[in-house]
């Protein structure tokens, strides 16, 4: 607007002034304004890369990608050593021929079907024959229901784990293979007829695996066994009248002729008398 105004003034002044103003205006048009030069320099610095879109349209300025730092290689995993054999020569659990068994009738007048035999020894226990007071248990005196055999094995595993270095628990009579009357020889029982009963020696103070009585048993250790049997669900634990042991009333009961062992009965999981 200012140049236009000056030109009008020059035309009114004289032709020479008008010509001079026109030449200077043409020289100004040939020079780009300094502001545009600065803007172009900034754009050139900020947009180093121009990329065309996939469809061939207008170019799009892309920022340079951040450098990708590769993950460190994982630490080598050492090869797993083969399993070492257990320090004990006895297996972790003895092999058992398991089958579904039935306790028939009652412990004092019953039978046993599809009995399971308790192995002669296992972790934390050994069997003995009450007729000879020596191991192993008699071949026709160590049969029970699968549930009772499993309870005895579990008791031995617990004993070995909690009392390392101590003598194993002595397991006496269970039932005969088919249950029923359990008379002699030498030692017999009025019960033990349907696979739910088991006799267990008291723990000896000298840790010998041998016959035991009120004068040679470890009261504290034997009490641990009684407590464990109750925790496992035993319905009856008979103790001798000379033993300083205790437990829940109606479960731990004093009974004659039981000063050298515990008589333990587990409930029939199917119900007694089926």
């Amino acid at each position: 607007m200012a140049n236009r105004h000056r030109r009008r003034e020059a035309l009114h002044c004289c032709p020479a002034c008008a010509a001079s103003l026109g030449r200077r205006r043409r020289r100004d048009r040939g020079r780009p304004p300094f502001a545009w030069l600065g803007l172009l320099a900034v754009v050139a610095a900020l947009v180093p890369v121009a990329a065309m879109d996939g469809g061939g349209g207008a170019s799009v300025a892309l920022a340079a990608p951040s450098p990708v730092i590769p993950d460190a290689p994982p630490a080598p995993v050492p090869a797993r050593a083969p399993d070492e054999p257990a320090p004990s020569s006895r297996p972790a659990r003895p092999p058992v021929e398991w089958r579904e068994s039935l306790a028939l009738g009652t412990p004092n007048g019953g039978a046993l079907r599809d009995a399971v035999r308790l192995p002669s020894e296992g972790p934390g226990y050994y069997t003995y024959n009450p007729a000879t007071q020596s191991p192993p248990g008699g071949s026709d005196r160590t049969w029970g229901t699968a549930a009772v055999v499993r309870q005895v094995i579990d008791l031995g595993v617990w004993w070995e784990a909690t009392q390392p270095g101590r003598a194993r628990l002595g397991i006496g009579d269970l039932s005969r293979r088919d249950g029923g009357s359990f008379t002699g020889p030498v030692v017999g029982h009025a019960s033990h007829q349907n696979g739910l009963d088991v006799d267990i020696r008291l723990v000896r103070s000298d840790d010998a695996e041998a016959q035991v009585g009120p004068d040679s048993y470890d009261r504290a250790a034997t009490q641990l066994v009684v407590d464990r049997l109750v925790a496992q669900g035993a319905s009856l634990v008979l103790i001798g009248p000379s033993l300083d042991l205790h437990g829940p009333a109606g479960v731990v009961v004093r009974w004659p002729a039981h000063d050298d062992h515990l008589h333990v009965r587990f409930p029939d999981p199917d119900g007694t008398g089926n």
Side-chain angles (χ1 to χ4, degrees):
M1 290 293 295
N3 290 338
R4 201 176 294 141
H5 182 67
R6 291 191 194 100
R7 181 173 176 79
R8 290 196 195 100
E9 290 178 349
L11 289 175
H12 289 293
C13 178
C14 64
C17 290
S20 174
L21 183 60
R23 286 192 299 272
R24 188 168 61 185
R25 183 178 180 182
R26 284 191 297 272
R27 286 195 303 271
D28 291 342
R29 287 178 180 174
R31 298 175 183 174
F34 290 106
W36 284 102
L37 291 177
L39 179 60
L40 289 174
V42 171
V43 171
L46 293 178
V47 188
V49 179
M52 299 297 294
D53 62 10
S59 62
V60 179
L62 299 176
S66 301
V68 177
I69 301 175
D71 294 334
V77 179
R80 184 176 181 273
D83 292 334
E84 295 291 335
S88 172
S89 60
R90 297 188 298 274
R93 281 180 181 267
V96 178
E97 294 183 13
W98 297 106
R99 58 178 64 89
E100 294 184 10
S101 45
L102 275 178
L104 305 175
T106 67
N108 287 52
L112 178 59
R113 181 180 301 167
D114 296 325
V116 174
R117 187 178 183 187
L118 176 71
S120 60
E121 64 176 350
Y125 82 90
Y126 67 97
T127 61
Y128 71 97
N129 188 336
T132 63
Q133 291 296 324
S134 301
S139 60
D140 196 34
R141 307 174 76 106
T142 52
W143 296 84
T145 63
V148 167
V149 170
R150 188 173 288 109
Q151 292 277 28
V152 173
I153 293 175
D154 287 347
L155 178 69
V157 170
W158 163 81
W159 179 255
E160 185 171 272
T162 59
Q163 307 294 319
R166 298 216 61 169
R168 298 172 295 172
L169 299 177
I171 308 299
D173 287 341
L174 279 74
S175 295
R176 299 198 186 280
R177 181 166 190 167
D178 297 320
S181 179
F182 201 148
T183 58
V186 183
V187 175
H189 308 274
S191 57
H192 290 255
Q193 294 193 25
N194 66 348
L196 300 178
D197 294 337
V198 54
D199 288 341
I200 303 174
R201 267 179 175 164
L202 312 179
V203 180
R204 284 183 59 114
S205 298
D206 60 2
D207 278 329
E209 295 181 354
Q211 192 171 3
V212 62
D215 297 331
S216 58
Y217 87 112
D218 184 328
R219 191 207 66 80
T222 304
Q223 184 64 57
L224 290 177
V225 176
V226 172
D227 294 341
R228 179 65 181 183
L229 290 166
V230 172
Q232 286 183 221
S235 58
L236 181 66
V237 180
L238 298 182
I239 60 174
S242 301
L243 303 179
D244 184 17
L245 301 171
H246 58 84
V251 176
V252 178
V253 178
R254 297 195 180 278
W255 204 258
H258 285 76
D259 278 343
D260 63 346
H261 70 281
L262 306 173
H263 173 101
V264 184
R265 178 171 299 157
F266 288 97
D268 181 4
D270 299 324
T272 300
N274 51 358

